[in-house]
Amino acid sequence: MHYLSRCLLVFVLLAAPITLALSQDRETLDIFVLDTEGGEAVLYIAPTGEAMMYDTGRPENFNRILALIQQEQVQVLDYVIVSHYHGDHVGNGGNLPRLPVRNIRQLLDHGPYTTELRPQNRTLFERYMTVRNMAKARRAVPGEKLSFGAVEAYVLASSGERISEPLPNAGAPNPLCSNHVPKTDIRAVENDEVVSVVVRYGDFSFLELGDMIWNHEERLVCPNNLLGTVDVYHTSGHGAHWGSNPVMVHAVQPRAAVMNNGDPKGGDTLTFETLRSSPRLEDVWQAHLSTQNATARDNSPEDYIANLDGSPGHTGHYIKISARPDGSFTVTNNRNGFTKEYPATNPSR
């Protein structure tokens, strides 16, 4: 055999086990809640490598998404969901072709329109539309199930509509509904259109409502709780008081909450109070220390906060959830490596 051919053969034989080992390293559903300064971008990677990204963060935080995609060696994004067209959620929609992935198999959103036509709210939407028009994009439909590997994502709401039938093992009457006090969200009507999902891996469940507003949250759990219980709740609206309706939060009974707040955005005292009074809640994990909308006492201990520095240009740290099909999971603070284990509780919710 020619010397060069022998060298190539040896290289292939040595490289093959390495590639196989990389594909078998992951044993959990890994969920990365990135720091997008009060925006949102969440990367889900199934144990077998399939991946989904929910929202794209602000354009100035693109390098954080890029670095994570490279770090985790994501080759294909099976789904990208853009929840709605505010700049802190659709901000990198126009940058999706810059990601070092071979393919984005399916792009979903609430539809090819925006409800806010002011120029300052339209620019990033219009950049995203150039990508959407070229991609295999479609509207997410409430009630549909998206699968990537052994992970399932159920669409709960889209374009102002919501599910009418309960998720599997959900649907019990909610005695908390009489406590609901309607609240009018005067900020922006685009939040009415948000695409929301719940992600399940075996007995583990992660609730991702995006910027769903107070009154819409109530409709998902009243008169019957269509969601059942969840293990982790990613706080709606960045932990601001426009979301996290206690009628919903206390009905789904999360064991842990992750708040994608910024230093000056979200993280309201009222939301902390709602979370900590929920029946099963053990911990609140925060993307940022909340300094303007909450007191020092409201914030979690520093080990549970990914970013203590809110100054421009700071290193953005993420929160990682590693979930197992028995319902157990681990949460890790990327800033300091602090982790907490949450053992399995009730199987087959």
Side-chain angles (χ1 to χ4, degrees):
M1 183 182 289
H2 191 276
Y3 173 75
L4 180 58
S5 298
R6 289 199 305 270
C7 289
L8 288 172
L9 178 60
V10 170
F11 175 78
V12 170
L13 291 174
L14 288 174
I18 295 173
T19 304
L20 183 61
L22 285 172
S23 68
Q24 292 179 343
D25 269 351
R26 201 180 303 273
E27 298 179 351
T28 53
L29 163 64
D30 291 336
I31 304 171
F32 299 84
V33 180
L34 285 88
D35 173 27
T36 53
E37 310 301 330
E40 181 158 8
V42 183
L43 179 65
Y44 300 79
I45 308 178
T48 44
E50 295 89 350
M52 178 178 83
M53 188 162 69
Y54 181 94
D55 276 339
T56 68
R58 301 176 184 277
E60 58 267 30
N61 301 133
F62 177 72
N63 284 342
R64 296 177 183 176
I65 298 173
L66 177 63
L68 184 61
I69 292 285
Q70 293 171 328
Q71 170 189 302
E72 298 301 313
Q73 302 180 39
V74 175
Q75 301 297 310
V76 172
L77 286 168
D78 294 84
Y79 298 100
V80 172
I81 298 175
V82 176
S83 69
H84 64 300
Y85 301 138
H86 284 155
D88 55 336
H89 295 260
V90 74
N92 285 301
N95 290 328
L96 288 172
R98 295 173 55 196
L99 291 176
V101 297
R102 295 199 308 270
N103 191 20
I104 296 174
R105 291 200 170 113
Q106 183 72 75
L107 183 61
L108 296 100
D109 53 36
H110 71 59
Y113 63 88
T114 179
T115 58
E116 298 178 26
L117 300 178
R118 293 172 296 172
Q120 64 267 34
N121 286 13
R122 225 172 57 205
T123 303
L124 294 173
F125 162 72
E126 289 172 346
R127 283 193 61 209
Y128 165 66
M129 285 302 292
T130 64
V131 173
R132 188 187 198 278
N133 291 338
M134 292 186 292
K136 188 180 178 182
R138 67 175 178 84
R139 171 184 174 267
V141 179
E144 71 173 305
K145 182 175 70 174
L146 314 173
S147 298
F148 53 107
V151 182
E152 297 173 334
Y154 295 85
V155 178
L156 305 175
S158 176
S159 53
E161 301 174 6
R162 63 165 179 83
I163 57 173
S164 56
E165 298 295 324
L167 298 179
N169 303 309
N174 182 3
L176 302 172
C177 293
S178 59
N179 299 331
H180 172 63
V181 178
K183 181 182 291 189
T184 301
D185 185 347
I186 60 174
R187 298 169 302 159
V189 291
E190 186 62 37
N191 289 335
D192 291 341
E193 310 294 319
V194 69
V195 178
S196 302
V197 298
V198 64
V199 177
R200 289 183 171 183
Y201 175 47
D203 287 324
F204 173 83
S205 185
F206 184 95
L207 180 59
E208 175 61 86
L209 296 179
D211 277 4
M212 180 175 281
I213 59 177
W214 183 276
N215 293 343
H216 289 197
E217 292 175 338
E218 183 264 349
R219 293 168 193 162
L220 288 174
V221 296
C222 290
N224 294 333
N225 178 2
L226 304 181
L227 307 180
T229 58
V230 303
D231 295 291
V232 181
Y233 165 49
H234 192 193
T235 58
S236 51
H238 317 283
H241 66 276
W242 299 106
S244 295
N245 188 331
V247 166
M248 183 276 297
V249 175
H250 294 182
V252 300
Q253 299 181 23
R255 299 178 62 195
V258 179
M259 183 181 290
N260 60 322
N261 63 311
D263 178 14
K265 181 178 179 180
D268 289 2
T269 292
L270 177 61
T271 301
F272 282 112
E273 292 174 350
T274 296
L275 294 172
R276 293 195 173 113
S277 60
S278 189
R280 292 199 307 162
L281 201 285
E282 297 179 42
D283 303 296
V284 179
W285 297 76
Q286 299 168 227
H288 268 270
L289 182 70
S290 182
T291 61
Q292 297 194 24
N293 301 315
T295 67
R297 290 181 58 189
D298 294 322
N299 284 276
S300 297
E302 289 188 357
D303 277 343
Y304 294 80
I305 304 174
N307 298 279
L308 302 176
D309 182 6
S311 61
H314 71 272
T315 299
H317 299 288
Y318 55 76
I319 293 170
K320 176 183 178 183
I321 299 99
S322 297
R324 305 169 194 89
D326 65 356
S328 65
F329 60 99
T330 304
V331 184
T332 302
N333 183 342
N334 169 246
R335 174 177 60 82
N336 59 4
F338 174 76
T339 65
K340 179 172 177 179
E341 295 284 344
Y342 296 80
T345 52
N346 299 323
S348 302
R349 56 172 41 82

